Amino acid sequence: MSGNNLVLPIVLWGRTAPTHCISSLLVMDDFSTIVTGCHDGQICFWDMTPELQICPRAMLFGHTAAITCLAKASACTDKQYIVSASESGEMCLWDVNDGRCIEFTKLACAHTGIQFYQFSFGAEREGRLLCHGHYPEILVVDGTSLEVLYSLVSKISPDWISSMSIIRSHRTQEDTVVAVSVTGILKVWIITAEVSRMQDLDPVFEEESKPIYCQGCHSISFCSFTQSSLLLVCSKYWRVFDAGDYSLLCSVPSEADQAWTGGEFIAADKVIIWTEDGCSCIYTLPASCLPASEHFRSDVGKTKEASIPPLIYSITERTDKQLLICPPVTRFFYGRREPFHKLLVQGDSAGRLSLWSVPDTCPPGSPATELQVSSTVSLQEAFDKLTPLSAGIIDQLSVPPGGEEPIKVTASVYIPSQGRLVCGREDGSIILVPATQTAIVQLLQGEHMLRRGWPPHRTLRGHGNKVTCVLYPHQVSPRYDQRALVSGGVDFSVIVWDIFTGEMKHIFCVHGGEISQLIVPPENCSTRVQHCVCSVASDHSVGLLSLRERKCIMLASRHLFPIQVIKWRPADDYLVVGCSDGSVYVWQMDTGALDRCVMGITAVEILNACDELAPATVDALSHPAVNLKQAMSRRSLAALKNMATHKLHTLASNLLAADSQDKGNLPKYSHNSLVVQSMKTNVTDPDMHVLFFDVEAVIIQLLTEEAQRPSPTMVSPESLQKSQAGPDKGGSFLANKIFKQVKETMKETIKEHLMDEDEEEEEEMRRREEKSKSLSLLEYNLTMDTAKLFMSCLHAWGLDCGLDAVCLERLGMLKPHCPISFGLISRGGHMSLMLPTFKEALLRQLSQAAGRTLAPADIVGNGTYGVSRAVSTQHLLSVISLANTLMGMTHASFIGEHMKKAPVRPPRPGTPESPRRTASSGPPPSSPAMQAQIKQGWSQLAAMHCVMLPDLLGKFRPPLLEMLARRWQDRCLEVREAAQALLLAELRRIGQSGRKDTIDLWAPYLPQYVDSVSSRKYCRPVIELL
């Protein structure tokens, strides 16, 4: 899907919550949101109430490696931004309110810690991000653009920074950055206003460097209560230093086998220290560490370890004793505005968040009091509390007789050309089902709820246990037979199916482990390899399985470590295998011989060479004599054949390119209106499914069916507005004639790579017979079903009873079961998906806005318009543009015979079957009165969402003006008109004061080189328009 298109995701999570092994966490300043990052690269937003009740809201996708750190990226409350960093060097700036990715970048170094720093320069306030990690400096990054501005560099003993803290000075204009390197050397940098505004990448050197002998420092924190102390926590001890001259005030060793991992000041005389196993302790500082005490700095210069200070509170280990994969992450946060909570937050590998509210007063008595948990919840517990439970894509077909839990879907693939979804399950069976029909069952109410086994489906049984991967090769490349479906399982087998008949064609049993991946080779491999699929198994083996010959033509099984990457060098007939230990194996595909095994920098260069050189340019850059010498030395038959046909292929491709240029045809529109993508956060999870609706593609396919074009090809957006020029038949005839001669020459040169003519005729006959079979799975209109599902999910139900009745009775729409989990696609393909538990926090917010307690049924269908402004913008644009499109169609209702079968191509006149097809094609014409009512219904629906929705909803998130302005000249006419109508309606709604605020907000970003004469001439009409 193109990034410029209007694409809306809807997610079906299923009953099993995604794995969320927490690696970092952050609490926002207003204490309403907790942000957690996990080892699999996802980020989760949790809503928190003033009563400290937490509920997961959304999950963000975009990082490709584990999240290493999270930090806030703005100080204002109206725009809450956070920044995240991963092990692969990725940095993303997110909007906490709606999960949009504002900016992203990728650096060559990985960050382990980020702190936000805001400075003032006159009336302006700017934000900076101070980053440290696996590099010997501190990078200062712009908080908006994520560009590296300058760096804080060490002159003396430069090394990686293990922890860092910013000391804000209220007396002077100078702030201090204090950091500790991994070797235990304390570094101090002074940041002034002039330094903060630097953008020339000049390094800033440290002001002081002092060894404090704290190797492996986990955290350093500044006491904001006294402004004069620093707390350093290492594995075996924690120490308090004077923030003035960095002298040691006290040092406390750990008890027994405890390993400290962090700490923080919770008051002027108290600190909280936590361990790697989840325990926490609150200590009272000795008098030598308190500036208000007369014994302050009395122990400076003493070398002996101080005694352990009094223990006030303790938080013991987990009571359930559940085995955790990773150590839990613990952080302390205290509110600087209402409510003034002091919270200890802990997240573990089971996706559980636990909160402890730390009291200000000390308990009476000498023994330490155990602090009780205030709130705790995991993702799975939140999913289990839902009523009804979150639905999966084929739950209605997966509940076994006498069971309650549906069989989990472990692998799936969507076939857009047929509208079918192929789901491999945990019991080894494979289900083929129409995607739109099964989504309607899970999301919408209707008569289908009373039918058992609906929708019509087909079950393939052949695997003995869980299906791990499914591949439809024809979808990747048209060179494969469109009947072939390939699946792999934990029973070590790869099965080839006939997708139309459900017949098992062949079983490959060549691996000694479960199949983990199925890959399609590139286009320019040898002819024999082009009809193969590449299978990867857990026994570290790779196979090339020929679908045409029904045998394994190569099995590479000498790898000592798990396989991580498969790459190709078709010009040299090489298959390149990268393993987890960094080794690279180079195999010859034609002979199956191991060419070489390398490690180190050579292995990296080989993998990079596969990416850098495009396959089409390899032959062009190599000299023919060199190619011949390499082919002879390697005894590669495929390389010799590639050389022999190189010039013929080049000539043919050049002729085809010239022919297409002569025709001057516009590119065909190839986007699918619906794409179903299976996703999982961890390899052990069952599949969740995301339905991506392309609004522009839905509109184009609706208009195409309305026009009943003879050609089955889709029209492009440009072709809806201007006709295409006729093709140059003369040039096409000449090119076809020359290409036929080239093809005959290629047949004579390489006979073994071509099938016999009799075999081709037999294949064609069998294909026609299979196509002629009546398939119950295809007896529905895919385009109209997609529009029906999409519009039913987008409509704001429950606000206008009369319009709801029209939608149900006249337009054929269906009402949702429960609030639908939508998503939002933002920059770079980053995506936020609402968890099914989002309705709990939304219900609470809408109840507060309405002044009464709302039931979950009250927000079904309209709650998403109160989630965020970006989500409202996308939904309003989609529903208005589709409603306007359906209003201009003849058969615009989702009720009738036209919903059962897609329009077919009209037959040629004079054919024997033409009377029968004509009689059965299309529904009987509706009465003009009924058509007028349907058009009026779509008009009312568009008007309600465009104009009346803010008045009908108690809490309405208005659309974003900048997103509407970007769509002002969208290439799709219907989307463009919807954006213009929405923008004008929003400008009228906000009134003159709102328009003035908008102008003032965007004025600093407008160019200043406007002609003064012309600006005065056109200034008054523009102001009057706004």
Side-chain angles (χ1 to χ4, degrees):
M1 300 239 177
S2 174
N4 190 35
N5 286 4
L6 185 59
V7 180
L8 267 68
I10 294 177
V11 59
L12 291 165
W13 291 96
R15 299 187 184 183
T16 304
T19 298
H20 193 65
C21 181
I22 297 176
S23 60
S24 58
L25 56 85
L26 173 70
V27 177
M28 302 306 295
D29 289 340
D30 59 356
F31 273 56
S32 63
T33 306
I34 302 177
V35 186
T36 58
C38 74
H39 287 280
D40 294 308
Q42 291 81 40
I43 297 173
C44 187
F45 288 163
W46 308 68
D47 287 321
M48 182 169 61
T49 66
E51 295 79 22
L52 302 184
Q53 297 300 314
I54 47 180
C55 179
R57 169 165 52 101
M59 187 165 284
L60 313 183
F61 295 80
H63 285 288
T64 59
I67 306 297
T68 56
C69 52
L70 297 167
K72 69 173 187 177
S74 64
C76 54
T77 57
D78 55 340
K79 288 188 177 180
Q80 290 187 324
Y81 292 163
I82 64 164
V83 63
S84 59
S86 70
E87 288 181 350
S88 59
E90 302 161 333
M91 289 184 68
C92 292
L93 185 68
W94 305 91
D95 189 334
V96 177
N97 294 322
D98 51 26
R100 276 187 305 155
C101 177
I102 308 298
E103 190 59 73
F104 66 95
T105 186
K106 186 172 182 179
L107 302 178
C109 47
H111 309 304
T112 57
I114 300 177
Q115 290 200 25
F116 176 72
Y117 171 73
Q118 187 181 35
F119 67 95
S120 301
F121 189 81
E124 298 181 6
R125 289 188 175 183
E126 295 188 20
R128 298 286 185 264
L129 300 172
L130 274 63
C131 311
H132 66 87
H134 299 162
Y135 43 90
E137 55 190 350
I138 296 177
L139 298 180
V140 181
V141 179
D142 186 87
T144 304
S145 64
L146 299 185
E147 296 179 359
V148 178
L149 303 179
Y150 59 94
S151 57
L152 308 180
V153 185
S154 300
K155 276 186 179 180
I156 304 172
S157 302
D159 210 333
W160 290 3
I161 303 297
S162 60
S163 57
M164 174 188 63
S165 180
I166 302 174
I167 301 177
R168 306 300 300 264
S169 175
H170 299 287
R171 297 186 299 269
T172 64
Q173 296 297 322
E174 296 180 351
D175 297 326
T176 306
V177 176
V178 180
V180 180
S181 66
V182 293
T183 55
I185 299 179
L186 186 138
K187 305 280 185 179
V188 179
W189 288 269
I190 303 297
I191 300 182
T192 61
E194 290 75 15
V195 172
S196 299
R197 294 182 62 86
M198 288 175 50
Q199 296 184 4
D200 51 3
L201 296 178
D202 287 342
V204 178
F205 295 103
E206 77 269 31
E207 294 290 330
E208 186 176 350
S209 182
K210 177 182 179 180
I212 58 174
Y213 309 106
C214 293
Q215 296 184 357
C217 178
H218 292 295
S219 71
I220 177 173
S221 56
F222 175 64
C223 181
S224 59
F225 303 97
T226 63
Q227 304 280 323
S228 61
S229 302
L230 288 172
L231 173 66
L232 272 73
V233 180
C234 300
S235 297
K236 297 301 181 184
Y237 49 84
W238 55 270
R239 294 174 176 175
V240 179
F241 290 84
D242 190 337
D245 57 359
Y246 309 108
S247 57
L248 180 62
L249 299 181
C250 74
S251 178
V252 180
S254 62
E255 300 179 10
D257 56 348
Q258 288 180 332
W260 304 115
T261 57
E264 186 66 68
F265 287 96
I266 64 173
D269 59 342
K270 300 183 187 68
V271 295
I272 182 170
I273 314 293
W274 50 84
T275 66
E276 65 178 1
D277 58 359
C279 300
S280 300
C281 301
I282 299 178
Y283 295 101
T284 299
L285 291 176
S288 61
C289 300
L290 304 178
S293 173
E294 60 182 5
H295 300 287
F296 180 58
R297 295 177 60 92
S298 60
D299 293 336
V300 172
K302 297 182 179 180
T303 57
K304 66 176 183 178
E305 294 274 343
S307 60
I308 298 177
L311 180 64
I312 306 175
Y313 291 103
S314 66
I315 299 172
T316 58
E317 299 181 40
R318 299 166 53 91
T319 56
D320 54 4
K321 300 294 183 182
Q322 180 184 1
L323 182 63
L324 297 179
I325 303 173
C326 304
V329 179
T330 309
R331 295 290 185 270
F332 176 81
F333 301 91
Y334 61 90
R336 293 174 172 84
R337 59 176 70 97
E338 288 285 348
F340 297 102
H341 285 303
K342 293 184 178 181
L343 288 184
L344 184 70
V345 187
Q346 188 177 103
D348 59 25
S349 59
R352 175 178 296 277
L353 270 184
S354 302
L355 304 181
W356 289 267
S357 180
V358 179
D360 293 327
T361 59
C362 298
S366 56
T369 304
E370 183 174 343
L371 204 60
Q372 298 299 320
V373 63
S374 301
S375 177
T376 178
V377 70
S378 67
L379 276 177
Q380 188 58 57
E381 289 177 357
F383 271 54
D384 294 339
K385 293 177 182 177
L386 290 173
T387 305
L389 294 174
S390 178
I393 191 71
I394 56 168
D395 277 2
Q396 80 283 4
L397 305 176
S398 297
V399 179
E404 297 181 358
E405 290 290 328
I407 304 172
K408 296 178 180 178
V409 177
T410 54
S412 52
V413 63
Y414 177 64
I415 307 174
S417 59
Q418 303 173 18
R420 286 197 278 184
L421 181 67
V422 182
C423 297
R425 302 192 296 183
E426 200 172 28
D427 64 345
S429 60
I430 299 175
I431 302 292
L432 278 69
V433 64
T436 54
Q437 295 287 332
T438 188
I440 287 175
V441 171
Q442 303 303 331
L443 297 174
L444 308 177
Q445 305 175 17
E447 61 179 7
H448 52 264
M449 300 176 64
L450 305 176
R451 303 178 185 175
R452 294 191 60 184
W454 182 265
H457 60 282
R458 178 173 289 131
T459 305
L460 311 180
R461 302 189 183 274
H463 287 285
N465 209 321
K466 181 174 70 172
V467 179
T468 55
C469 47
V470 183
L471 175 67
Y472 184 58
H474 183 76
Q475 183 174 337
V476 182
S477 175
R479 67 177 184 265
Y480 291 96
D481 188 355
Q482 64 178 351
R483 296 169 301 172
L485 175 72
V486 188
S487 63
V490 297
D491 56 356
F492 307 171
S493 66
V494 176
I495 302 181
V496 183
W497 308 86
D498 189 319
I499 197 172
F500 294 126
T501 64
E503 180 184 358
M504 184 190 302
K505 291 295 185 181
H506 190 72
I507 302 179
F508 294 96
C509 297
V510 298
H511 293 284
E514 67 177 69
I515 312 301
S516 59
Q517 198 174 5
L518 293 171
I519 309 170
V520 172
E523 291 284 348
N524 54 342
C525 290
S526 64
T527 309
R528 192 183 188 196
V529 175
Q530 283 186 6
H531 292 86
C532 297
V533 294
C534 176
S535 58
V536 182
S538 61
D539 65 336
H540 314 161
S541 63
V542 180
L544 287 178
L545 312 178
S546 177
L547 303 184
R548 188 175 67 177
E549 302 177 24
R550 307 283 172 83
K551 69 178 183 179
C552 176
I553 67 172
M554 190 198 83
L555 182 64
S557 57
R558 297 184 187 178
H559 312 106
L560 301 179
F561 290 87
I563 297 170
Q564 280 192 334
V565 62
I566 300 290
K567 296 196 176 183
W568 310 84
R569 292 280 292 187
D572 299 324
D573 192 43
Y574 282 156
L575 173 67
V576 182
V577 180
C579 298
S580 60
D581 66 331
S583 60
V584 169
Y585 294 77
V586 182
W587 297 86
Q588 290 185 13
M589 290 185 286
D590 190 58
T591 62
L594 178 62
D595 187 83
R596 76 196 82 163
C597 175
V598 295
M599 295 189 69
I601 189 62
T602 307
V604 176
E605 290 176 350
I606 289 178
L607 291 177
N608 292 338
C610 296
D611 295 331
E612 292 172 357
L613 291 179
T617 62
V618 174
D619 290 337
L621 296 176
S622 302
H623 195 272
V626 178
N627 281 341
L628 180 61
K629 181 180 179 181
Q630 292 177 353
M632 295 297 292
S633 62
R634 296 166 184 162
R635 295 178 174 86
S636 175
L637 183 62
L640 290 171
K641 293 172 182 176
N642 286 340
M643 284 181 52
T645 59
H646 169 64
K647 290 187 177 181
L648 296 176
H649 279 295
T650 305
L651 176 61
S653 60
N654 290 341
L655 286 172
L656 287 177
D659 183 39
S660 63
Q661 289 179 1
D662 291 340
K663 288 181 180 180
N665 290 336
L666 293 173
K668 293 181 180 179
Y669 191 77
S670 59
H671 292 164
N672 300 302
S673 58
L674 172 65
V675 172
V676 182
Q677 179 66 49
S678 62
M679 298 177 63
K680 57 180 67 177
T681 60
N682 191 275
V683 293
T684 60
D685 290 348
D687 282 2
M688 61 180 183
H689 294 83
V690 185
L691 284 65
F692 293 98
F693 292 90
D694 190 331
V695 178
E696 182 179 316
V698 174
I699 293 173
I700 291 170
Q701 292 184 3
L702 287 173
L703 295 177
T704 303
E705 290 197 2
E706 174 69 13
Q708 290 291 309
R709 296 180 182 272
S711 174
T713 58
M714 296 294 101
V715 295
S716 62
E718 293 83 359
S719 63
L720 295 176
Q721 302 174 12
K722 56 182 180 180
S723 61
Q724 298 183 359
D728 185 2
K729 296 184 178 180
S732 177
F733 174 78
L734 179 60
N736 289 334
K737 186 175 181 180
I738 298 176
F739 183 74
K740 287 181 181 179
Q741 295 177 358
V742 172
K743 188 175 181 181
E744 292 296 327
T745 307
M746 292 170 62
K747 284 184 179 180
E748 296 174 1
T749 308
I750 311 171
K751 292 183 179 180
E752 53 268 24
H753 289 282
L754 299 174
M755 295 181 61
D756 189 74
E757 293 181 358
D758 295 336
E759 294 179 357
E760 289 183 347
E761 292 178 0
E762 293 176 2
E763 288 286 330
E764 187 66 20
M765 289 295 296
R766 284 193 299 173
R767 190 171 301 176
R768 289 178 181 175
E769 290 176 2
E770 299 294 346
K771 284 185 177 181
S772 64
K773 291 185 177 181
S774 176
L775 300 175
S776 61
L777 295 182
L778 298 179
E779 295 297 323
Y780 66 97
N781 191 322
L782 178 60
T783 302
M784 294 300 289
D785 261 4
T786 303
K788 176 181 180 178
L789 171 62
F790 195 29
M791 290 297 290
S792 300
C793 294
L794 287 176
H795 174 53
W797 298 89
L799 302 179
D800 188 338
C801 298
L803 181 59
D804 289 350
V806 171
C807 291
L808 293 172
E809 299 170 5
R810 300 292 186 192
L811 305 183
M813 295 166 60
L814 300 176
K815 192 173 182 179
H817 290 296
C818 59
I820 296 174
S821 297
F822 283 93
L824 186 65
I825 300 178
S826 49
R827 298 197 58 181
H830 294 71
M831 180 170 58
S832 67
L833 299 177
M834 289 190 293
L835 291 165
T837 52
F838 84 97
K839 63 181 181 182
E840 302 296 332
L842 182 63
L843 191 63
R844 184 179 64 254
Q845 295 174 6
L846 295 178
S847 298
Q848 293 176 355
R852 59 186 179 90
T853 303
L854 298 177
D858 295 333
I859 64 171
V860 172
N862 59 53
T864 54
Y865 292 100
V867 174
S868 73
R869 300 188 63 183
V871 172
S872 297
T873 308
Q874 300 275 47
H875 289 192
L876 291 175
L877 277 175
S878 303
V879 71
I880 294 172
S881 59
L882 280 174
N884 290 335
T885 304
L886 291 166
M887 187 168 54
M889 294 177 58
T890 304
H891 302 296
S893 174
F894 300 129
I895 303 174
E897 293 296 324
H898 63 284
M899 292 293 295
K900 294 183 179 179
K901 201 169 186 179
V904 297
R905 179 174 179 174
R908 295 180 180 178
T911 56
E913 297 181 354
S914 57
R916 181 175 59 86
R917 290 187 180 181
T918 304
S920 63
S921 62
S926 302
S927 63
M930 180 65 68
Q931 289 293 325
Q933 292 179 7
I934 293 175
K935 291 181 183 295
Q936 184 181 5
W938 290 121
S939 176
Q940 292 176 358
L941 188 143
M944 188 198 80
H945 288 85
C946 184
V947 181
M948 296 183 289
L949 199 60
D951 299 329
L952 296 174
L953 276 175
K955 183 177 181 181
F956 175 66
R957 303 276 187 174
L960 290 170
L961 295 179
E962 57 267 27
M963 293 183 68
L964 296 176
R966 289 195 198 101
R967 299 283 179 184
W968 184 267
Q969 291 189 347
D970 194 271
R971 67 176 183 175
C972 182
L973 179 62
E974 287 74 15
V975 175
R976 185 192 317 165
E977 291 176 346
Q980 293 174 359
L982 265 176
L983 182 57
L984 295 176
E986 180 62 17
L987 289 175
R988 285 193 297 267
R989 188 190 69 84
I990 62 178
Q992 185 176 0
S993 60
R995 293 193 289 267
K996 182 180 182 303
D997 294 340
T998 303
I999 294 175
D1000 295 339
L1001 177 65
W1002 287 97
Y1005 304 100
L1006 298 178
Q1008 300 296 328
Y1009 47 84
V1010 180
D1011 186 8
S1012 58
V1013 177
S1014 59
S1015 63
R1016 284 195 299 269
K1017 179 179 178 181
Y1018 296 104
C1019 181
R1020 181 174 296 277
V1022 171
I1023 294 177
E1024 291 177 355
L1025 175 63
L1026 293 176

